[in-house]
Amino acid sequence: HPRSGQWKGARRRAWWWEHSDTMSCYPTSTQKRFWILTREDIESRRSEARTRAIESARDARAGGEPLPGDGPDPLTDEEETLLRRYYEAKILKVCAAFSLPSKVQATAVTLFKRFLMGTSLLQHNLKVMMLTSIYVACKVEENYVSAEEFGKGMHEDASRVLNAELTLLSGLQFQLVTYSPYRAVHGFRCDLEEMMEANELDAPAVSREKLDECVGCARRTVDKLMLTDAPLIYAPGKLGLTAFRAAGRELKIEAVQKYVESVQAREEAPESGALLGSLNALDTMARVGGEEPKEEVVRHIDKKLKTWRTSNPVAKAAGDGDGKEGREGKRHKSASKATRDAEEESAFD
């Protein structure tokens, strides 16, 4: 029956807009309740974590052997942002190198972001925490890859990743549910095809090949958004719709533009205006903060961080595989400085 088909399509479109996975509902998820925040909340959490790390280091120095002067300076806020974004981009590359699906990629980046809101990156070996985020994401998304395989591919001791796993999980409060904007892009593409088949869009038909190209373009925009704070501020459906809209504009696909307008029309005022505002804000975030930092700049910042951590014992005991109580501790204590330096530099290979 025509009306039953339209009702089914409407229900399906609403489902894709509010959900990102077949197993549970986004609006009631821990991601929605605990990990979608305001910009102010994010900045406040990072600032508090940074202050705690610096004060802990200062207190530790006061009770130990004094350093010349005040010791090395910690990273600035801008330097922390660049370094965090670099390692997030590195997660995307590592996932691609291991042929991991996009759901693992999105989960790994999101877990890494969440973790570094509650604890300062000054206290952690970021290469180890990056690999640990990917390792945990693989388990969460049922796409298991062993720590040994990651360690071998990234020139890192697998036991450091295993030692850091509990630190990561504790920092996340064991809340691992993550919905993927990549999946949302696929859902919008399916929805668009259904609407075209039902002649519900006043736009020229689009070939499957062109839609494939559109999805590929949208996924690249999602990659950029994953390097910003967007996954911590907006629902994954909005990230996916922003990327889908941007791809339609770039490829001049009228049907995609009409489709996005139809999604906006389904929202009741003032939600409709709020949706458009969110999409425009996300466009700006992808354009302004979605590029990977230049490696020569980040390499200098990373060395500055290592110098600060070496001078502050409380930072080195943060449970990321560098602590003296780790399973690999004795092995790494006896390693030469040249070997350790080579391991750390491999994060930039």
Side-chain angles (χ1 to χ4, degrees), residues 53-71:
I54 294 173
E55 289 179 349
S56 295
R58 186 182 299 120
D59 292 343
R61 287 201 304 269
E65 185 176 340
L67 294 171
D70 295 327

Side-chain angles (χ1 to χ4, degrees), residues 2-308:
R3 288 192 175 182
S4 65
Q6 290 176 4
W7 171 240
K8 179 180 179 182
R11 286 190 302 172
R12 188 170 185 277
R13 288 191 288 276
W15 190 92
W16 272 113
W17 177 240
E18 295 185 0
H19 302 68
S20 298
D21 194 273
T22 57
M23 294 187 67
S24 60
C25 180
Y26 170 76
T28 59
S29 68
T30 54
Q31 178 177 3
K32 168 69 173 176
R33 287 183 289 142
F34 302 114
W35 296 105
I36 297 297
L37 309 166
T38 65
R39 297 174 191 271
E40 293 73 23
D41 286 337
I42 294 170
E43 292 174 3
S44 176
R45 291 191 187 192
R46 287 173 178 162
S47 178
E48 290 173 3
R50 184 173 186 274
T51 298
R52 288 195 301 270
I54 294 173
E55 289 179 349
S56 295
R58 186 182 299 120
D59 292 343
R61 287 201 304 269
E65 185 176 340
L67 294 171
D70 295 327
D73 292 328
L75 302 186
T76 65
D77 288 340
E78 182 180 1
E79 288 172 333
E80 286 194 14
T81 298
L82 289 173
L83 193 58
R84 186 171 55 248
R85 190 185 302 162
Y86 172 82
Y87 277 97
E88 289 166 356
K90 190 74 173 178
I91 288 175
L92 302 183
K93 293 180 179 179
V94 172
C95 288
F98 281 86
S99 300
L100 297 173
S102 58
K103 63 181 181 179
V104 173
Q105 175 177 302
T107 297
V109 174
T110 303
L111 296 183
F112 188 77
K113 286 178 181 293
R114 292 177 184 177
F115 177 73
L116 290 180
M117 276 200 299
T119 183
S120 173
L121 58 77
L122 296 173
Q123 296 178 288
H124 298 279
N125 181 311
L126 292 184
K127 180 186 176 185
V128 172
M129 298 315 299
M130 170 192 75
L131 293 176
T132 306
S133 297
I134 301 172
Y135 174 65
V136 170
C138 285
K139 293 203 283 188
V140 169
E141 300 298 345
E142 299 181 346
N143 199 99
Y144 183 72
V145 178
S146 69
E148 288 73 18
E149 187 172 346
F150 279 130
K152 183 178 180 180
M154 293 297 295
H155 311 290
E156 185 59 80
D157 191 323
S159 61
R160 300 177 79 185
V161 173
L162 295 174
N163 288 341
E165 184 177 6
L166 184 57
T167 298
L168 178 72
L169 295 174
S170 298
L172 297 169
Q173 301 173 51
F174 296 89
Q175 295 168 349
L176 306 177
V177 173
T178 305
Y179 292 89
S180 170
Y182 297 99
R183 183 173 175 84
V185 168
H186 176 71
F188 291 131
R189 181 252 175 88
C190 293
D191 192 15
L192 171 59
E193 287 183 313
E194 185 179 279
M195 291 185 71
M196 287 194 300
E197 290 176 3
N199 294 317
E200 296 177 11
L201 282 179
D202 183 18
V206 185
S207 67
R208 287 183 177 273
E209 292 74 17
K210 196 66 176 179
L211 283 178
D212 288 342
E213 183 181 1
C214 183
V215 168
C217 184
R219 288 172 64 88
R220 291 191 290 274
T221 298
V222 173
D223 287 346
K224 292 183 178 182
L225 287 170
M226 295 303 293
L227 303 186
T228 72
D229 286 336
L232 302 174
I233 301 174
Y234 297 99
K238 290 183 178 179
L239 271 68
L241 191 61
T242 297
F244 199 50
R245 183 180 73 159
R249 286 176 173 173
E250 181 176 336
L251 299 175
K252 297 180 172 57
I253 303 176
E254 183 180 351
V256 173
Q257 302 309 310
K258 293 288 187 180
Y259 171 75
V260 175
E261 291 172 6
S262 75
V263 172
Q264 184 181 348
R266 294 173 215 147
E267 296 288 305
E268 297 180 0
E271 284 78 7
S272 178
L275 172 58
L276 180 60
S278 295
L279 299 184
N280 291 338
L282 284 162
D283 274 338
T284 301
M285 294 180 78
R287 185 173 63 255
V288 175
E291 299 297 331
E292 180 182 354
K294 294 182 179 179
E295 187 168 304
E296 57 269 23
V297 175
V298 178
R299 191 182 294 271
H300 170 74
I301 297 172
D302 199 59
K303 288 182 178 179
K304 180 179 176 181
L305 173 61
K306 289 184 176 71
T307 300
W308 190 85

